[in-house]
């Protein structure tokens, strides 16, 4: 093998190594962006955690002891906090909307519960898909509260 071939091979190897370093520098860790997003989301959840857990437990407690109006009020505050911190498409926000609508229905506002769930279902479908269990549950609850609201209005006429 001549020195020219050896030199050409060395230049080619050096070029490949430099190219690989440039690609690595540009791409960095291919999962770096995802890791940064998860870190940011975890930080948001940690910041939200103490307040929302307390509100969630308080709403559940009030519901269990029969203070549905109080549970609705606390759940509205929980929803407002979660919307502010997590954004409208976050799964916890969608779940909170579902729970709040059902609380409204249990508190006697079947029409309001149906309206909220009817607005929630398209958001659930967009975020989770039409076959996701909570999408299906929200759709069924909307129908249930709508039927109850229409039954109550027909009974009063």
């Amino acid at each position: 093998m001549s020195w020219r071939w050896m030199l050409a091979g060395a230049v080619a190897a050096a070029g490949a190594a430099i190219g690989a370093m440039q690609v690595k520098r540009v791409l960095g860790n291919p999962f770096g962006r995802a890791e940064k997003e998860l870190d940011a989301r975890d930080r948001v959840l940690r910041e939200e955690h103490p307040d929302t857990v307390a509100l969630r437990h308080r709403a559940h407690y009030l519901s269990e002891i029969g203070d549905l109006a109080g549970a609705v009020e606390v759940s509205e505050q929980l929803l407002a906090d979660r919307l502010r911190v997590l954004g409208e498409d976050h799964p916890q926000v969608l779940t909170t909307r579902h729970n709040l609508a059902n609380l409204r229905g249990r508190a006697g506002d079947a029409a309001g519960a149906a309206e909220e769930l009817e607005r929630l279902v398209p958001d659930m479908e967009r975020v989770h898909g039409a076959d996701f269990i909570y999408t299906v549950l929200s759709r069924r609850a909307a129908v249930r509260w709508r039927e109850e609201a229409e039954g109550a209005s027909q009974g009063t006429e």
Side-chain angles (χ1 to χ4, degrees):
M1 185 179 236
S2 74
W3 64 273
R4 289 184 182 152
W5 281 102
M6 288 176 48
L7 182 61
V11 168
I18 291 171
M21 288 185 336
Q22 288 174 337
V23 167
K24 186 175 180 182
R25 189 181 77 237
V26 169
L27 292 179
N29 180 356
F31 301 106
R33 181 175 176 207
E35 287 173 356
K36 286 179 184 176
E37 288 179 19
L38 287 174
D39 286 343
R41 194 164 78 181
D42 287 345
R43 186 181 68 252
V44 166
L45 289 174
R46 281 191 305 271
E47 291 171 1
E48 178 210 23
H49 178 74
D51 292 338
T52 58
V53 168
L55 287 173
R56 199 166 34 94
H57 285 280
R58 180 148 175 76
H60 179 73
Y61 171 75
L62 291 171
S63 170
E64 289 295 311
I65 65 169
D67 183 2
L68 296 175
V72 166
E73 184 179 322
V74 171
S75 293
E76 287 172 342
Q77 184 181 355
L78 174 64
L79 178 60
D81 288 349
R82 283 189 167 170
L83 276 167
R84 179 181 47 78
V85 174
L86 300 172
E88 64 184 30
D89 287 340
H90 193 278
Q92 288 182 357
V93 171
L94 297 175
T95 300
T96 303
R97 288 176 58 195
H98 174 89
N99 293 339
L100 176 58
N102 280 312
L103 275 173
R104 282 192 200 288
R106 289 178 51 211
D109 184 9
E115 289 171 11
E116 286 185 31
L117 287 160
E118 288 164 353
R119 284 192 304 267
L120 174 63
V121 168
D123 294 338
M124 289 286 239
E125 288 176 349
R126 182 174 35 79
V127 172
H128 294 298
D131 296 330
F132 186 67
I133 185 66
Y134 291 113
T135 305
V136 173
L137 290 174
S138 293
R139 191 178 304 113
R140 286 180 185 168
V143 169
R144 175 179 160 239
W145 290 118
R146 178 58 60 205
E147 288 173 352
E148 188 168 320
E150 290 173 356
S153 68
Q154 289 175 358
T156 59
E157 292 177 0

